[in-house]
Amino acid sequence: SSGINAEYGDNQNDGHSRILPPPNPMNNSTGTILMFIVVLIGIIFQFSMHRVDEGHIAVYYRGGALLQSTSAPGFHFMMPFITNYVTVQVTTQTDEVKDIPCGTSGGVM
């Protein structure tokens, strides 16, 4: 033997020593499960957070029934996949129309 520790892969059959990396403390199945949990939490977080724009409020529905709660502008959380929301404009909107020809009985003005 060439003085290499047997737990790191001292191969005595072919006369050559190979150094293998130390064993991984987190095996593949634990890493896969951990990655799945992180992705699942990210998806739930993405669907639970919503933004209400300035001049609007959010009204909430659960199972098709209108809930009593509303939300002011900003970022808010709700129960994903169970609660839905709709934004409702609460400010007055004024539109200005210019250069529209108007027809009357006496002609176009």
Side-chain angles (χ1 to χ4, degrees):
S1 176
S2 61
I4 298 175
N5 191 344
E7 80 178 67
Y8 286 110
D10 186 11
N11 189 349
Q12 297 181 7
N13 292 337
D14 60 3
H16 296 92
S17 297
R18 291 182 289 176
I19 298 176
L20 299 176
N24 186 358
M26 185 181 338
N27 61 22
N28 288 342
S29 65
T30 305
T32 303
I33 292 170
L34 183 62
M35 182 61 75
F36 177 76
I37 290 171
V38 168
V39 169
L40 185 64
I41 289 172
I43 291 171
I44 290 172
F45 181 78
Q46 178 69 28
F47 282 105
S48 66
M49 190 172 85
H50 62 282
R51 181 180 67 146
V52 180
D53 293 327
E54 189 66 37
H56 294 77
I57 62 168
V59 293
Y60 297 95
Y61 294 92
R62 187 171 301 143
L66 181 64
L67 300 178
Q68 293 291 325
S69 62
T70 61
S71 292
F75 288 96
H76 303 280
F77 289 95
M78 63 182 181
M79 288 192 296
F81 313 114
I82 297 173
T83 304
N84 297 321
Y85 76 100
V86 176
T87 57
V88 178
Q89 185 174 356
V90 293
T91 57
T92 304
Q93 178 177 344
T94 305
D95 295 326
E96 187 175 323
V97 182
K98 296 181 181 180
D99 299 327
I100 303 291
C102 184
T104 65
S105 60
V108 176
M109 299 178 81

